[in-house]
Amino acid sequence: ILKSAVGGDGNIGSPLLAPKVDERDATFRQFTPMASASWFVPSDWLDDGPLDSLLLYATWSNGFKSGFLEPSGQDGLVVVEPEKLENREIGFKIDAFERSVRLNVALYSMIFEDMQLITVKTDSANTLVVTSQNAGKSMIEGGEMELMWLPSPQAMITFSYSNNNYKFKEFLDQDLTALAVRGQNVTIDRSDEQFPVSPEQTASLGMQYTFVTSVGLITPRLDFSYKSEIYLGFDNGSWDVRHTNPEGVYSEAYTLVDARLTWANNDDDLSVSAYVKNATDERYDIGAVATGDSIGTFAQALGDPRFYGVEVRKTF
């Protein structure tokens, strides 16, 4: 049920028109088959090398994100179609050096139909609205890896990395500039644009060491996380100004540093942790909307500044 601005009776009413109520039902169904094959390399093949186990696998699967109803200005509730995915993935999982090292690697190709995107459109009254719509076809190709290393019984190092190449294959949209200047509804091809809010590279590194003492276990831990530059444009005009005004449509790459010190008693039923998040007080975006064609603004939401605290945990 939609009602448009809040009135004294608790209903949402419009300052100029009578309240509008819009009700609509929609059902979405999808068949999503999957096939997967895996093979453990025989252990006797690995006897003379550093590997303890090796698993190879391949997967073909289909995914489905339900459609939904979303308010769209004067048009009330409109249908955003389901997003469908076909995924192909190959990879391997390794344990090595007396199981002190674990390495997982995956390569994948994901093809989307009707990917759900937040964009700027107009309703039937040619009023600008920020809403969702479906891009025809798009693709993500990339890979990821995870590494865990135990250099000693007390030490642990973890590392992860992903690299993704995003492509729109079909993405037709409305030219908001032509609508505003000439009053014409013109279709434009946005297939050359970058994916919004999607870093190409992400990485994380964690290190910890546990000291065994007579009063319990003391574990310091340090974590680093990295995200590459992110494109934040939601309309075609933002893409057009990416060279002349990149700071208006891109979020810079950033690295966050977290630290934690934990004490746990010998019975392992009580622990106390002191921590600091974003230790370097980095300023970074967790959300933004660049709307160069429509509103001509770049709204940003900053991530948390440096903060710290203490956690106490007791189990019974």
Side-chain angles (χ1 to χ4, degrees), residues 215-287:
V215 296
L217 304 178
I218 299 174
T219 305
R221 181 177 177 89
L222 196 60
D223 287 283
F224 302 86
S225 59
Y226 168 80
K227 282 189 177 181
S228 63
E229 179 184 74
I230 302 174
Y231 174 63
L232 299 166
F234 281 7
D235 60 18
N236 187 61
S238 301
W239 183 247
D240 290 340
V241 301
R242 68 193 185 280
H243 295 307
T244 58
N245 185 27
E247 65 275 8
V249 293
Y250 283 98
S251 173
E252 294 182 354
Y254 64 87
T255 300
L256 300 181
V257 181
D258 300 335
R260 176 178 289 263
L261 179 63
T262 301
W263 168 83
N265 66 357
N266 290 321
D267 294 330
D268 199 27
D269 60 0
L270 175 64
S271 65
V272 180
S273 299
Y275 65 87
V276 56
K277 297 282 190 178
N278 190 7
T280 60
D281 203 23
E282 180 79 9
R283 289 293 181 263
Y284 62 100
D285 293 321
I286 58 171

Side-chain angles (χ1 to χ4, degrees), residues 179-231:
L179 179 65
V181 175
R182 302 187 299 273
Q184 297 177 339
N185 283 306
V186 178
T187 299
I188 57 173
D189 186 352
R190 299 180 58 186
S191 300
D192 62 334
E193 295 186 19
Q194 286 182 247
F195 272 35
V197 201
S198 302
E200 180 178 324
Q201 299 181 71
T202 62
S204 66
L205 173 66
M207 299 176 288
Q208 72 176 51
Y209 190 91
T210 300
F211 297 91
V212 181
T213 73
S214 59
V215 296
L217 304 178
I218 299 174
T219 305
R221 181 177 177 89
L222 196 60
D223 287 283
F224 302 86
S225 59
Y226 168 80
K227 282 189 177 181
S228 63
E229 179 184 74
I230 302 174
Y231 174 63

Side-chain angles (χ1 to χ4, degrees), residues 124-143:
S124 56
N126 285 340
T127 302
L128 291 172
V129 290
V130 178
T131 186
S132 298
Q133 72 174 43
N134 299 100
K137 286 187 179 181
S138 52
M139 175 183 290
I140 300 176
E141 295 177 322

Side-chain angles (χ1 to χ4, degrees), residues 1-15 18-21:
I1 297 178
L2 290 184
K3 297 179 178 179
S4 49
V6 177
D9 58 358
N11 289 335
I12 300 185
S14 169
K20 176 182 178 182
V21 177

Side-chain angles (χ1 to χ4, degrees), residues 55-100:
L55 169 68
L56 306 175
Y57 72 91
T59 299
W60 172 81
S61 61
N62 288 264
F64 166 73
K65 182 190 290 186
S66 176
F68 54 91
L69 300 171
E70 184 170 49
S72 183
Q74 294 294 320
D75 300 329
L77 292 172
V78 298
V79 174
V80 179
E81 296 296 334
E83 177 180 295
K84 297 178 283 294
L85 165 68
E86 181 182 2
N87 178 56
R88 302 177 181 89
E89 180 176 335
I90 59 173
F92 62 83
K93 302 176 184 289
I94 289 175
D95 285 339
F97 301 105
E98 299 181 350
R99 302 193 183 277
S100 65

